[in-house]
Amino acid sequence: MTAHVIPAKWTTAFTPSSMLILGVVLAIAYAAYRRALPKPIPGIPYVEESAKRLLGDLPRIAELQKAGKKPSDLYFETVRLTKSPISQMFFLPFGKPMVIVSDFRETQDLVTARSKDLERGSYNNETFGGVMPEHFISMNTSDPRFKVTRGLTNDLMTPRFLNEVSAPEIYRKMRHFVDMWRFKAQAADGRAFKAYEDLNFLSYDIVTAAALGIDDSESETVQHLRSLRSDMPPRSPSEVPTEGEFRFPDFSPSDLMASLLTLVEAVGNSFAKPSPKLFHALNNLRPAMRKAWSDRKRILQQHIDNASARLNREGDNFKPVAALDYMVAREVSSAKKEGRRPDLSSRRLHDILFVYLAAGQDTTHSVMTFLVKQLGAQQKAQSKLGQSLRDAYPSAAAECRQPMLSEILQAHVPYLEAFIEEVLRLNTPIAGVSQQTVRDTTVLGHVIPKGTQLLFLAEGPSFHGPMFPVAEESRSESSQKHADAMLGEWVDGAEFRPERWLRKPREGGEEGNLVFDPKAGPFMTFSLGPRMCWGRRLAYLELRLVVTLLVWNFEFLPIPPELDNWDTYDLLIHKPRSCLVRLSSALEA
Ligand code: HEM
Ligand SMILES: *[C@@H]1O[C@H](CO)[C@@H](O)[C@H](O)[C@H]1NC(C)=O
Ligand SMILES: *[C@@H]1O[C@H](CO)[C@@H](O)[C@H](O)[C@H]1NC(C)=O
Ligand SMILES: *[C@@H]1O[C@H](CO)[C@@H](O)[C@H](O)[C@H]1NC(C)=O
């Protein structure tokens, strides 16, 4: 054996000059390691142990998950530890810190009055851009394409389009949903059943109806009810268990809905990754993702082609019944004007449709699940809401019929709006929104370097309880100037109290009738400023119709404590781990 013979190369490896080289290499490596460590912005609090490791705060996500929490709790937990309205977190070796702002007044000032100092930024470019690069949601506000793509879609949120085109579609889908839950309520006979999936199908039905104009017979809910009716022969009461949850057979989503859920999950999963870009590149190779992409493309193109065929057939008599019809007609007419062939298979058209579906479906599903949970949990508020609706639709109540769409669109029911707003505030689907500084920017007295990611929380201090104390002089000039008009905090913010959104009418208003005041206090659920939610009018319309018809038709009974659970988890947004309802029919069909 020659194992004990030191090879010639080794002996030369230990010459003084090579030792010197080794020393230099080690010194460079150590210097690189030091540089790769988090570089806190002076004066802004952070979690001490995170600043000592290359991956900064990332390992804390796994710790939170082990403790049964969700990745987005990282932000709120950081604020809880630093006890500061401004904190910082670290994610990538050599990376810049991310700054968390947990103070509604400063957030409001920055994203509205000082929005010129901020951009959508590269983080959103990587997370959203991995799935919808040609939609304005992924773009900087200063990107010339932002204005162009937004211009293509703005008419879809006008009150007229919403009331005339979207509302009838939503109302019809909702009536089918009421039929389905009537069936379930009867079968479950006073026991709780899962509402989570049913509401996912409902929000999908509604958003596809508004976006694509799905025929009622193709709605997920109608098909679900059909399969329930054939799967579930009526049983005699003795066969039905009297305790616990009543289980209905599962129902599988259509290909387009499955594709949507998969792609939205991919965006959600990219958020807590060190490199969202790399994550998407690898994730897109998975067979499930490849199927989702090809289903998305194929099915959306079919819808586009059908709309375009109808446009050709009907010519001047073409009436849009969905957002898609409108977009197709618009592309055809601008192509004609510009003397080119219409492009009805562009990535841009597909991305716009897809984001309409994705942004509308996931968020509203989350809100609907919390709405029905709160209806069961807040019995007093539920009866007040029921009374407000009966007062608002006296003839429908007297004639034992459904309120008509035209009645709902005309009515103002302040308590309904307050109830919805309170769920949106307390059970906000989003943890916060992120933007990037375009120049050095002062936030609560600290200079934040250009190119830093800011995260504005929509939960925690200010929203769900008192804010942290802040010296008035550390606020910006614009914030101090408008101090009187600034909303500070909901001190009792942990309580469910719709009345917080109601106030007496100003001078000249009718005595006794309270009005809904959306500016009553801190609220960030749809973000604010130029990058505020584009679809919020549709969301409010949808939620008003859904809650009105649910409360009109059902009484939500409290969930027994052993089945009740308010834990939440994250995909892109917060959802409850458990969403059960226990219904009794308020009106006979
Ligand atoms: C209750 C339901 C909804 C909630 C809570 C919600 C919330 C939000 C929030 C917080 C943002 C800002 C995101 C950010 O800055 O990162 C946003 C943006 C957006 N939302 Fe919504 N949204 C809802 C419903 C909808 C609906 C129904 C649509 C469309 C059909 C929609 C389309 C969009 C779009 C396109 C953007 C991007 C706006 C931009 O980049 O300028 N949303 N939404
Ligand atoms: C968007 O704006 C941010 C902040 O100014 C900048 O760093 C980034 O490069 C921009 N992204 C694109 C694609 O222009
Ligand atoms: C995202 O960033 C890349 C690289 O800077 C750029 O090419 C792309 O256009 C950006 N996407 C959007 C939607 O701004
Ligand atoms: C498009 O129209 C054809 C023919 O009417 C129909 O069979 C098909 O289901 C439609 N596709 C979609 C996605 O609506």
Side-chain angles (χ1 to χ4, degrees):
M1 295 287 274
T2 55
H4 299 286
V5 180
I6 296 170
K9 330 198 264 268
W10 281 36
T11 44
T12 54
F14 290 107
T15 61
S17 65
S18 63
M19 288 297 280
L20 187 68
I21 291 170
L22 184 66
V24 169
V25 168
L26 282 177
I28 291 175
Y30 183 67
Y33 168 75
R34 289 297 300 266
R35 282 205 47 196
L37 280 175
K39 290 278 160 311
I41 301 169
I44 300 180
Y46 50 86
V47 176
E48 296 279 345
E49 63 190 10
S50 300
K52 295 181 192 138
R53 52 189 178 209
L54 291 179
L55 290 179
D57 287 286
L58 270 185
R60 290 178 51 219
I61 295 180
E63 285 167 30
L64 284 172
Q65 282 177 308
K66 242 184 255 155
K69 302 207 167 154
K70 52 190 190 296
S72 72
D73 284 331
L74 182 68
Y75 316 129
F76 180 61
E77 279 293 312
T78 302
V79 169
R80 206 177 54 78
L81 293 169
T82 60
K83 299 184 181 59
S84 164
I86 180 167
S87 331
Q88 55 186 325
M89 288 187 308
F90 318 103
F91 288 120
L92 266 188
F94 305 102
K96 284 195 171 117
M98 176 192 252
V99 172
I100 312 178
V101 180
S102 177
D103 174 284
F104 180 67
R105 199 175 134 190
E106 192 69 9
T107 295
Q108 195 184 12
D109 177 52
L110 278 159
V111 300
T112 58
R114 297 160 71 195
S115 67
K116 291 257 171 346
D117 293 344
L118 303 173
E119 253 304 1
R120 188 105 182 116
S122 30
Y123 184 67
N124 289 306
N125 168 305
E126 287 194 20
T127 49
F128 288 103
V131 172
M132 36 235 183
E134 298 277 324
H135 189 279
F136 61 82
I137 197 168
S138 321
M139 295 172 191
N140 277 346
T141 317
S142 61
D143 187 330
R145 295 173 305 162
F146 175 76
K147 239 178 146 171
V148 175
T149 20
R150 227 179 139 128
L152 289 177
T153 58
N154 274 347
D155 302 21
L156 304 177
M157 288 295 154
T158 60
R160 199 175 146 189
F161 189 85
L162 289 174
N163 286 346
E164 290 176 11
V165 179
S166 315
E169 288 282 338
I170 300 174
Y171 183 79
R172 286 219 310 277
K173 299 301 180 278
M174 191 51 208
R175 291 289 300 271
H176 290 299
F177 187 80
V178 168
D179 290 344
M180 208 254 294
W181 267 15
R182 248 185 227 290
F183 179 92
K184 285 199 165 183
Q186 209 165 25
D189 193 22
R191 273 162 300 249
F193 64 88
K194 276 201 185 73
Y196 186 97
E197 285 79 11
D198 294 353
L199 293 170
N200 215 8
F201 291 126
L202 173 64
S203 74
Y204 174 81
D205 272 352
I206 288 180
V207 84
T208 40
L212 309 171
I214 301 277
D215 202 62
D216 281 9
S217 64
E218 283 170 55
S219 102
E220 306 277 328
T221 301
V222 168
Q223 297 185 46
H224 187 177
L225 179 56
R226 204 179 297 144
S227 87
L228 281 174
R229 284 200 166 118
S230 63
D231 282 3
M232 296 195 50
R235 289 190 278 181
S236 70
S238 61
E239 291 176 77
V240 179
T242 50
E243 298 285 309
E245 181 195 328
F246 188 90
R247 287 176 200 274
F248 287 95
D250 285 340
F251 179 72
S252 313
S254 65
D255 283 352
L256 182 59
M257 179 165 172
S259 144
L260 186 71
L261 297 177
T262 306
L263 293 170
V264 166
E265 190 179 339
V267 175
N269 286 339
S270 73
F271 269 88
K273 296 293 181 297
S275 168
K277 204 173 179 169
L278 184 65
F279 166 80
H280 281 303
L282 296 175
N283 189 47
N284 278 336
L285 301 174
R286 286 172 41 224
M289 282 297 287
R290 291 224 294 268
K291 172 163 170 26
W293 277 112
S294 87
D295 284 349
R296 170 189 137 156
K297 191 166 170 186
R298 177 175 54 81
I299 301 169
L300 288 183
Q301 194 60 50
Q302 275 178 18
H303 282 286
I304 297 171
D305 292 346
N306 282 6
S308 141
R310 191 164 73 83
L311 174 64
N312 278 337
R313 241 185 358 257
E314 298 176 3
D316 290 342
N317 298 324
F318 181 74
K319 237 187 103 215
V321 295
L324 165 67
D325 296 337
Y326 179 85
M327 288 170 59
V328 167
R330 183 175 191 132
E331 167 61 15
V332 169
S333 86
S334 41
K336 200 180 271 168
K337 252 185 247 148
E338 291 159 24
R340 59 175 172 85
R341 288 169 62 90
D343 184 355
L344 293 175
S345 54
S346 66
R347 178 67 194 260
R348 186 159 80 185
L349 188 54
H350 277 248
D351 273 3
I352 291 178
L353 280 174
F354 177 76
V355 171
Y356 194 113
L357 298 178
Q361 138 87 38
D362 205 31
T363 46
T364 347
H365 174 234
S366 163
V367 178
M368 286 179 191
T369 57
F370 287 112
L371 273 165
V372 299
K373 282 174 81 77
Q374 293 290 17
L375 283 169
Q378 310 291 339
Q379 290 290 312
K380 269 199 203 123
Q382 184 187 193
S383 26
K384 209 164 159 184
L385 183 52
Q387 191 55 53
S388 312
L389 292 173
R390 286 188 295 277
D391 292 346
Y393 309 114
S395 50
E399 294 158 23
C400 283
R401 61 163 172 85
Q402 305 292 317
M404 289 182 290
L405 176 62
S406 55
E407 293 171 315
I408 300 178
L409 291 179
Q410 274 163 23
H412 277 286
V413 190
Y415 195 78
L416 171 71
E417 293 181 85
F419 187 92
I420 293 171
E421 200 77 348
E422 186 64 347
V423 172
L424 288 165
R425 178 192 71 85
L426 194 62
N427 305 112
T428 169
I430 55 150
V433 297
S434 91
Q435 302 195 6
Q436 192 174 333
T437 52
V438 175
R439 54 187 67 87
D440 291 359
T441 304
T442 306
V443 180
L444 293 172
H446 301 275
V447 178
I448 310 295
K450 168 184 172 175
T452 304
Q453 203 62 42
L454 295 180
L455 182 77
F456 301 105
L457 288 192
E459 55 184 21
S462 309
F463 304 96
H464 301 150
M467 60 188 199
F468 295 110
V470 170
E472 186 65 18
E473 60 274 18
S474 72
R475 298 207 178 265
S476 74
E477 228 174 86
S478 54
S479 180
Q480 292 189 40
K481 210 165 86 193
H482 300 114
D484 292 344
M486 289 281 182
L487 306 168
E489 57 192 338
W490 289 118
V491 176
D492 65 348
E495 265 175 61
F496 184 90
R497 200 169 61 77
E499 288 77 8
R500 72 176 77 245
W501 299 105
L502 298 175
R503 63 161 170 76
K504 292 212 180 81
R506 308 225 188 281
E507 284 301 298
E510 234 179 283
E511 192 70 24
N513 285 342
L514 297 177
V515 295
F516 171 63
D517 178 9
K519 295 209 159 59
F523 184 81
M524 261 293 278
T525 299
F526 293 100
S527 187
L528 287 170
R531 301 310 292 267
M532 187 178 187
C533 176
W534 170 82
R536 70 192 176 283
R537 286 208 195 100
L538 176 64
Y540 277 120
L541 171 68
E542 205 178 316
L543 295 173
R544 271 207 314 275
L545 289 172
V546 167
V547 178
T548 299
L549 290 181
L550 284 182
V551 173
W552 193 264
N553 287 285
F554 303 104
E555 188 189 342
F556 289 74
L557 306 171
I559 301 298
E562 68 278 11
L563 294 178
D564 207 10
N565 177 350
W566 285 79
D567 287 351
T568 57
Y569 75 101
D570 271 344
L571 282 171
L572 185 54
I573 55 175
H574 305 338
K575 302 233 175 142
R577 280 199 192 279
S578 152
C579 175
L580 298 171
V581 289
R582 214 154 68 77
L583 301 177
S584 84
S585 294
L587 264 182
E588 285 317 309

